Amino acid sequence: MADKHLSSQFDSELNGVSARVMELGGLVESQIRQAIYALSHFSLEAVEQVGLIEQRVNGMEVEIDHELASIIGRRQPTARDLRLLLSISKATANLERMGDEANKMARMVKSIIESGAARSLPSSDLRVAADMASGLLRKALDAFARLDTKAALAILKEDDFIDKEFDGFVRKLITYMMEDPRTISASLDLLFLAKAIERIGDHSKNVAELVIYLVKGKDVRHTTMDEIESAVLL
């Protein structure tokens, strides 16, 4: 009976920390939405909101790290439970970095607004890419919550599309800068903003890879898509 009680308590702790990761993911998602709003409306108020949410994201990451360290120290988990805790730790780190990228987006938007060149550049292209990256995060969180490897595989493929969008946007910006050197400063801000969006997609991809690692026990980083598909479908 005592063993059953301890096992139930451990399960409760695992469920609790998993729920905290989902809460963190929701917070980061709201941060990205505010950054997208700042870009869409050139809103300094939204820029400020991104920074405020960033403080909450950082605090929550520290709390989850402490909670994970406590569980590992007290429970000394083995096999699948340890893999879950390690995956949660890595997912938390990726979420915090997505928050950092959203904060970078907000800073770049502020710089573009202050430059006075905001509406003369192709920022609408970035809004589409930012929406895609935000959607990818939402899908990654859902796949992680449900341990859905097929959904994770779809996320990996979708991230490749975001990367192609980034490459196309860079080529367009180069054209703008060549045609009008006065746009160089603001164009560079947009370039850094685009890179931040791409990185959000990359971190969502990392979370999707963690789902496959957690379910299949296979690290699919630095492997081909064919190898990943084989691991998922086996």
Side-chain angles (χ1 to χ4, degrees), residues 80-108:
R80 184 177 175 83
D81 287 335
L82 181 58
R83 195 158 72 221
L84 172 61
L85 291 169
L86 290 176
S87 296
I88 287 174
S89 177
K90 291 178 181 179
T92 300
N94 275 281
L95 288 170
E96 190 274 334
R97 287 166 191 158
M98 285 187 229
D100 288 343
E101 298 300 335
N103 205 35
K104 288 178 188 176
M105 287 174 63
R107 292 202 305 270
M108 291 303 101

Side-chain angles (χ1 to χ4, degrees), residues 23-77:
E23 183 183 353
L24 175 61
L27 196 57
V28 172
E29 195 175 342
S30 69
Q31 189 179 14
I32 294 171
R33 283 198 302 269
Q34 284 290 331
I36 294 172
Y37 184 90
L39 174 62
S40 300
H41 298 83
F42 298 108
S43 167
L44 288 174
E45 183 179 353
V47 167
E48 183 178 352
Q49 283 300 313
V50 172
L52 293 175
I53 298 173
E54 171 77 357
Q55 296 175 23
R56 294 170 59 194
V57 168
N58 291 340
M60 187 172 289
E61 186 214 9
V62 171
E63 292 170 5
I64 292 174
D65 277 348
H66 286 166
E67 193 169 347
L68 288 170
S70 175
I71 292 173
I72 292 173
R74 289 182 293 103
R75 302 298 186 187
Q76 298 182 349

Side-chain angles (χ1 to χ4, degrees), residues 151-170:
L153 177 61
I155 289 165
L156 302 187
K157 293 179 178 179
E158 192 173 342
D159 179 61
D160 289 340
F161 186 73
I162 293 178
D163 291 341
K164 291 176 183 177
E165 286 285 304
F166 172 75
D167 292 339
F169 185 76
V170 170

